[in-house]
Amino acid sequence: MSKKMAAILGTILLAAIAPVTMAAPVKDRRPATHPTPAAAVAGHCAAWNTTDRANRDILLNRIFARDGVYSDPTPTYVTGRAALSDEIARFQRQYPGARFRCSAPQTHHRAMRVSWLLVGADGREITQGMDFYELAPDGLIHRVTGFFGPPPALAAS
């Protein structure tokens, strides 16, 4: 085959495959949708009310950072989604049928506070408290610090 013929065949081959190459799908590189603060709180509250491990883990994956930290005065201090899911399961065994009701978040910058009630299976209030959240830049929950009971009373002046 002559050099001229090889060049012509090469050109034809490139022309034939170019549309296929150009039409190949391009991976979407846009960042995933970040949860809103309200969605992050709703998902966190729902995770504490979800007894099915697989469903709870799906919720936590959507709203809780991979290296997120949860702490409360019981004393609980866990890092990561799996550890938080384990802690929720432990809590549910201790309080079967109990459910959390959470307020909408009060937010500024990447900080939030949320009031909550823990209601027993019989519908009676067990306790109340407040959680303080720190959000990661992607909107996922990076830290939750929980407090039980009402805030301390102000000292008389």
Side-chain angles (χ1 to χ4, degrees):
M1 179 182 304
S2 72
K3 287 184 181 182
K4 185 175 181 181
M5 182 61 90
I8 292 171
L9 286 175
T11 302
I12 292 170
L13 181 59
L14 283 174
I17 66 168
V20 173
T21 303
M22 293 174 67
V26 175
K27 185 177 178 182
D28 185 10
R29 298 182 196 276
R30 291 178 297 156
T33 303
H34 303 317
T36 64
V41 167
H44 185 243
C45 194
W48 282 87
N49 292 333
T50 301
T51 56
D52 179 78
R53 175 70 186 238
N55 289 333
R56 182 172 58 247
D57 289 349
I58 289 169
L59 284 168
L60 291 174
N61 191 51
R62 290 179 186 156
I63 56 94
F64 201 74
R66 182 182 315 267
D67 62 345
V69 174
Y70 172 85
S71 65
D72 69 34
T74 56
T76 299
Y77 188 95
V78 297
T79 301
R81 294 174 186 142
L84 179 56
S85 190
D86 290 344
E87 177 57 27
I88 292 170
R90 185 202 59 75
F91 171 84
Q92 291 171 344
R93 286 189 300 276
Q94 187 176 358
Y95 294 96
R99 313 265 308 155
F100 281 94
R101 292 181 26 214
C102 301
S103 72
Q106 182 181 28
T107 64
H108 69 82
H109 300 89
R110 290 196 322 237
M112 301 189 295
R113 71 175 177 172
V114 174
S115 297
W116 52 263
L117 292 174
L118 178 61
V119 179
D122 62 0
R124 293 184 190 182
E125 181 181 319
I126 296 172
T127 192
Q128 62 179 296
M130 186 172 291
D131 289 344
F132 294 86
Y133 292 71
E134 177 186 326
L135 298 176
D138 62 5
L140 297 178
I141 298 167
H142 184 257
R143 180 178 301 274
V144 178
T145 304
F147 290 87
F148 302 157
L154 292 173
S157 30

